[in-house]
Amino acid sequence: MYSIKPDIIIEKVSESSIKKFPLGKEILVISSKTVSENHGLHEIFDGLKNDSQLHIFNHVRPDAPFEDLDLVLDKLKGVELDSIIAIGGGSTIDAAKALSVAFGNTSYKDVFYGRSPIPTEKIKLLAIPTTAGTGAELSFGAILYDKVNGKKGGIRGEIVQPDYVLIDANLHNGCPTALKAEVGFDCLTHAIETYISKKSTALVRIQSINCIKTIFQHLVPACKNDSIEDMEKVAIVSTLMGINLAFSSTCLPHRIQYVIGPMTETSHAQGLIAIYKGWLKHLQQENIEAFNLLASDLNLTVDQFIEKVDKLKNELNINFGITKLGLHEHNINEIANKVSGNMQVDPSYKDRSSINNVLKLAL
Ligand SMILES: [Fe+2]
């Protein structure tokens, strides 16, 4: 099954573009600080205030910690919200996804810890992503962080998918070049992994191939020339990869990154870039059929595909392995033992030694 469900509008963010979505009278706005300062959002919000009551917050930190969500819930106790607008990167959107459930009268913490099932009701959510890559605006998960208990985890279910998405490439283009390049690579990993995964389907694979071609062609000019036309194409495939994530899965690189990230205090995308140095070679060594098919769908050999990814990384100045993140050969066993989650979906996974090999090749 593959359905493209949320209403998506691609145009400049403005009072009139936001009003195209039925958001009601009482609206919570979660936006990242930098975005609201740099894109004249205050004027847009002032315009919206003529018809609606807006509750604006811009305090959500990376990883969407529980306390940032609780602050909103405390301050708005007793308010009957109609909807949420989330403007920001992955953490902002994930926080808003969890809040859309919380304001639908379910404790998000109970869902997070498996004490309650994922609810069937929530309030409407409009996601306006400001980075192109995470796919958070369409995926079925919200990744949160319980700082007190040191647990990073997720609320997962179709219900947390935003109801509406507005894509404005101007917002994406406001990001620093290095961030655009790195997050763009995350988008590429979603395309490759959802294709390779044992959970993949024919529809997922077609979307992946389209995304990989788009990234190969448009990510460099989007980053280097600040080209809006190229950025918009990257932003669209990035959003579509959110659907691929919902209907297929990621593979070993994402499982390994969840260990390496907190260990090295590096971003999700940086970890993936480093791990890909090893994982693509590992797939080649293991002669994985899905990898051969992916290359052939792109009219390339596996060698040529790996070279193309390398060339892309060089052009974007992001060609590095795990050594750059401060990891060495003696760390590999420790990392391999900590990796958790469903690894069987990766056709190249046999046992822990597969992770060791990926990491050795990624040094
Ligand atoms: Fe990712």
Side-chain angles (χ1 to χ4, degrees), residues 81-315:
L81 283 183
D82 292 309
S83 61
I84 304 177
I85 302 175
I87 310 177
S91 300
T92 302
I93 292 175
D94 279 354
K97 284 156 105 174
L99 286 171
S100 72
V101 168
F103 282 103
N105 289 327
T106 303
S107 156
Y108 75 89
K109 286 178 192 166
D110 284 350
V111 179
F112 182 90
Y113 279 111
R115 296 189 291 255
S116 307
I118 188 86
T120 52
E121 273 175 34
K122 63 149 189 185
I123 59 170
K124 297 284 184 205
L125 171 59
L126 162 62
I128 307 178
T130 57
T131 54
T134 69
E137 62 274 19
L138 259 83
S139 68
F140 291 177
I143 309 296
L144 309 174
Y145 181 44
D146 179 356
K147 225 174 174 178
V148 177
N149 296 305
K151 188 175 160 51
K152 198 170 173 175
I155 292 181
R156 293 189 175 84
E158 206 170 328
I159 190 90
V160 299
Q161 187 188 46
D163 305 275
Y164 317 113
V165 178
L166 176 64
I167 297 176
D168 175 1
N170 293 287
L171 295 176
H172 302 86
N173 244 9
C175 291
T177 308
L179 182 67
K180 273 196 276 184
E182 289 173 4
V183 182
F185 195 87
D186 185 23
C187 169
L188 179 69
T189 71
H190 296 156
I192 298 173
E193 288 173 49
T194 56
Y195 185 110
I196 302 278
S197 165
K198 286 185 190 166
K199 287 177 81 181
S200 195
T201 66
L203 261 158
V204 164
R205 288 190 286 272
I206 291 260
Q207 295 279 23
S208 287
I209 293 300
N210 179 33
C211 174
I212 295 167
K213 283 182 183 164
T214 305
I215 293 288
F216 279 162
Q217 197 180 338
H218 300 285
L219 184 58
V220 171
C223 293
K224 287 196 158 171
N225 313 335
D226 284 336
S227 151
I228 283 286
E229 293 75 25
D230 292 285
M231 192 70 235
E232 186 170 286
K233 291 186 172 84
V234 172
I236 291 170
V237 290
S238 159
T239 296
L240 289 174
M241 282 308 99
I243 309 181
N244 264 21
L245 290 173
F247 292 104
S248 177
S249 77
T250 51
C251 293
L252 278 184
H254 274 73
R255 300 288 83 69
I256 301 172
Q257 192 281 322
Y258 288 139
V259 177
I260 286 183
M263 247 177 110
T264 59
E265 295 190 348
T266 51
S267 73
H268 177 67
Q270 287 164 343
L272 289 166
I273 290 163
I275 296 161
Y276 260 63
K277 185 181 172 194
W279 186 62
L280 294 182
K281 283 186 221 153
H282 172 74
L283 292 176
Q284 185 183 32
Q285 279 180 2
E286 297 292 313
N287 193 21
I288 299 302
E289 201 195 340
F291 191 41
N292 300 336
L293 287 173
L294 180 145
S296 104
D297 275 352
L298 292 160
N299 285 325
L300 299 169
T301 63
V302 161
D303 270 337
Q304 287 169 329
F305 176 72
I306 293 177
E307 264 171 43
K308 237 179 138 97
V309 174
D310 249 1
K311 187 170 165 254
L312 177 77
K313 283 175 159 181
N314 284 332
E315 283 182 304

